[in-house]
Amino acid sequence: MRLRMPAMRPAAAIVLLTLTTARGAAAQQAAPAATPAAPAAAPLAEVLTGAAKADYELGKSLFGNGDFANAFTKFEHAYALSKDVRLLWNMAVCKNRMHRYSHVLTLVERLRREDRGLMTPQDWATIDALERGARSLVGHLDIAVSEAGAEVTIDDAPAGKTPLSGKVIVDSGTRRIRVDKPGFKEHVRVERVAPGAEVVVQIQLEPRVHAGKLSVIAPPDARIALDGKLLGQGQWDGTVPSGRHALRVTAPGMTPYESEIVIQDDELSRLSVGLTPVARGPRTGVWLTGGAIFVATGVAVVVGVLLLQPPPAPPIEGTLGPTRPTAFGGRW
């Protein structure tokens, strides 16, 4: 079966391919004897076999029940298996009933390219009428992007890479345009397209900067430093490269606050820091008298005897390796 559209109501009817055979026979009888007509193609139900035929029959049943989306899927699969272009016509009829007129035009264009005489002149007259109706119901997007090689999608369907070869035919209504290229921020916008209208879309892509925002709130007299660099006092807000950073907040008489923070691309990190006073113990005095050390704690005196000459350590046998500098510049 091939789904065909009458000239007055292109989206209303299904016509069996056996009618095509009958029309071919009539045309052959009317043709001059010296110019025999090409034999009519056998109906799809007779040509298709196996899984292609099963998908075709199920698609026909789904179409009759008004399930045009699943009918399209079955016809599409049957076409992939058989490459019979008459299935493209069935697919176009399904899209027409789904009001996806831009898809109708795409399928008709494919049908024109791939037909090898299976479609009759009467078929093409009906197809032309359907095509004219579909063109009156679509719009065009004229998309210009500042960067070449960017991927463009419209309603999540690929439209190509920039620069696009021409205007993009779209169904009327609200269309979602997405443009993406590595190294640049993704650009998404929504455009309203009226039937028969042309919408010019100019997009300037912005380079992607790997940085985020940081906001630190601390006591008024606290000094805020990031990676060893003083940023400000009390509060600081600014842009920071993405990645890990060392934050330090200090104030007189307070225990320093130190933490590692992670900055994400295009995200805001907020941090509120509260400092605690430095812990203080009892007052302690130390003094040395002769061979003894006296330690005063304020309420008692502890006396200990310090032997100024400890016993000699036993000798260590071995050799010392070469000296090496330490982190503070001395030598072992």
Side-chain angles (χ1 to χ4, degrees), residues 56-90:
Y56 164 73
E57 295 292 350
L58 181 54
K60 184 171 60 174
S61 176
L62 290 167
F63 186 95
N65 290 329
D67 189 352
F68 307 118
N70 283 319
F72 173 87
T73 300
K74 291 303 177 181
F75 291 142
E76 184 179 40
H77 191 224
Y79 171 75
L81 295 173
S82 67
K83 299 303 180 183
D84 194 308
V85 295
R86 290 173 292 184
L87 290 163
L88 290 175
W89 178 221
N90 288 11

Side-chain angles (χ1 to χ4, degrees), residues 208-213 239-245 261-267:
R208 180 177 294 280
V209 179
H210 294 287
K213 298 288 186 180
T239 301
V240 178
S242 299
R244 298 180 182 275
H245 298 274
I261 59 174
V262 178
I263 302 297
Q264 303 287 351
D265 286 355
D266 303 321
E267 292 187 6

Side-chain angles (χ1 to χ4, degrees), residues 143 150-154 156-162 164-166 168 170 178:
I143 302 174
E151 295 280 355
V152 179
T153 61
I154 300 175
D156 297 325
K161 284 189 175 184
T162 57
L164 299 178
S165 58
V168 183
V170 295
R178 175 180 172 271

Side-chain angles (χ1 to χ4, degrees), residues 23-226:
R23 287 198 306 269
Q28 185 174 4
Q29 293 175 1
T35 309
L44 277 170
E46 298 177 9
V47 173
L48 299 178
T49 59
K53 182 175 182 178
D55 282 332
Y56 164 73
E57 295 292 350
L58 181 54
K60 184 171 60 174
S61 176
L62 290 167
F63 186 95
N65 290 329
D67 189 352
F68 307 118
N70 283 319
F72 173 87
T73 300
K74 291 303 177 181
F75 291 142
E76 184 179 40
H77 191 224
Y79 171 75
L81 295 173
S82 67
K83 299 303 180 183
D84 194 308
V85 295
R86 290 173 292 184
L87 290 163
L88 290 175
W89 178 221
N90 288 11
M91 292 159 60
V93 173
C94 289
K95 287 295 183 179
N96 191 69
R97 298 298 293 268
M98 294 163 63
H99 310 294
R100 302 303 302 271
Y101 303 112
S102 63
H103 294 190
V104 172
L105 297 176
T106 300
L107 287 164
V108 169
E109 183 180 348
R110 287 181 60 187
L111 185 57
R112 292 188 190 281
R113 290 197 311 265
E114 299 180 23
D115 180 40
R116 298 295 182 269
L118 286 176
M119 309 300 291
T120 68
Q122 292 87 345
D123 292 333
W124 282 116
T126 305
I127 293 170
D128 290 343
L130 179 65
E131 184 179 28
R132 287 192 298 272
R135 289 197 181 280
S136 68
L137 297 171
V138 299
H140 296 79
L141 290 175
D142 188 358
I143 302 174
V145 181
S146 61
E147 301 295 326
E151 295 280 355
V152 179
T153 61
I154 300 175
D155 297 332
D156 297 325
K161 284 189 175 184
T162 57
L164 299 178
S165 58
K167 300 169 186 177
V168 183
I169 300 175
V170 295
D171 293 320
S172 60
T174 301
R175 306 274 70 87
R176 181 178 181 270
I177 305 165
R178 175 180 172 271
V179 182
D180 188 39
K181 182 179 180 179
F184 293 84
K185 293 181 180 179
E186 178 187 78
H187 184 98
V188 178
R189 65 193 294 176
V190 174
E191 294 286 349
R192 180 74 182 176
V193 182
E198 179 180 312
V199 179
V200 177
V201 181
Q202 294 183 334
I203 296 174
Q204 181 74 35
L205 292 182
E206 299 180 11
R208 180 177 294 280
V209 179
H210 294 287
K213 298 288 186 180
L214 175 64
S215 177
V216 181
I217 301 176
D221 60 343
R223 294 159 63 90
I224 302 169
L226 190 69

